[in-house]
Amino acid sequence: MHLDTVRRWRGRFADRGLGGLSDRDRSGRPPSYTALQVAEAKARACRLPAETGVPLARWSCPDLARELAARDITGPVSASTVRRWVAEDALKAQRVLDLYARTWQGKALGEDEYVISADEKTSIQARCRCHPTLAPGQARAMRVNHTYGRGGALAYLAAYDIHQVRVFGVVLAGLAVAGGAVVLAGRRQGDEG
């Protein structure tokens, strides 16, 4: 800490006591929108436009900005500000689907129908360096050998059942794609035989 900073804080303590050490107001423009206005905007983004009487299938950020201003929730607000608010919570205003409510095209899903979010990471290369990395020495840079020994490929498949709140994951020893269909060539980790 710089000597001038210590002197300034010591002087503030001498003048105002312990209260003089608390943070002072910062410079800069105060926030234009309250936390309540931002929360209301995010709540609107999570609802379908038809619920509020707007004839849209999905919200876009400019449409949502116009709706917030028209309903006098925020006053005039730009689409980029709405986009930033929505991105803070990883909300996708354009992709709010009714699948989370267990409906599809206005019809309720049956008991034997599921909503699953799935992803895959195929062809993960299992590699190791053939020679160890040498630490830097006096007048010598660190030496890294870029030759690898290949140990095959792995695949990781995962699915998330939205309503049961369960994650299913499997690591496979091989994966092949045949005619657009994924063919599993391996078994789950931990399977016997």
Side-chain angles (χ1 to χ4, degrees):
M1 192 176 289
H2 196 270
L3 183 61
D4 291 340
T5 304
V6 174
R7 285 183 182 144
R8 187 178 328 115
W9 282 51
R10 192 174 71 191
R12 285 170 52 189
F13 180 74
D15 292 343
R16 294 183 294 265
L18 200 55
L21 298 179
S22 62
D23 282 345
R24 295 189 296 182
D25 291 336
R26 305 279 181 191
S27 62
R29 188 175 73 181
S32 302
Y33 304 99
T34 66
L36 183 63
Q37 290 172 317
V38 174
E40 180 64 30
K42 290 177 182 180
R44 292 255 175 195
C46 291
R47 287 191 226 130
L48 291 172
E51 293 177 17
T52 59
V54 178
L56 296 172
R58 298 188 175 112
W59 288 117
S60 69
C61 290
D63 292 331
L64 188 56
R66 281 190 292 276
E67 174 72 8
L68 294 170
R71 302 240 182 217
D72 203 27
I73 294 170
T74 60
V77 63
S78 69
S80 60
T81 299
V82 172
R83 191 172 290 111
R84 190 173 61 251
W85 291 342
V86 168
E88 284 174 1
D89 289 337
L91 300 172
K92 303 293 182 204
Q94 305 89 337
R95 297 183 182 178
V96 176
L97 301 176
D98 53 357
L99 289 173
Y100 289 100
R102 293 195 50 87
T103 60
W104 174 250
Q105 297 178 343
K107 297 179 184 174
L109 293 178
E111 288 300 317
D112 60 341
E113 296 176 310
Y114 301 95
V115 179
I116 294 178
S117 176
D119 198 4
E120 81 282 346
K121 187 74 173 169
T122 57
S123 194
I124 302 170
Q125 298 294 318
R127 303 182 294 184
C128 61
R129 294 189 190 273
C130 293
H131 304 287
T133 300
L134 298 176
Q138 197 169 16
R140 182 188 70 195
M142 181 170 65
R143 294 184 184 167
V144 179
N145 188 316
H146 297 288
T147 306
Y148 291 95
R150 299 199 179 272
L154 298 174
Y156 181 72
L157 307 174
Y160 176 65
D161 183 348
I162 293 168
H163 297 287
Q164 298 295 321
V165 192
R166 291 175 47 200
V167 175
F168 305 95
V170 62
V171 176
L172 300 164
L175 187 74
V177 177
V182 177
V183 179
L184 303 177
R187 61 175 191 262
R188 288 188 308 199
Q189 269 186 339
D191 281 355
E192 298 299 323

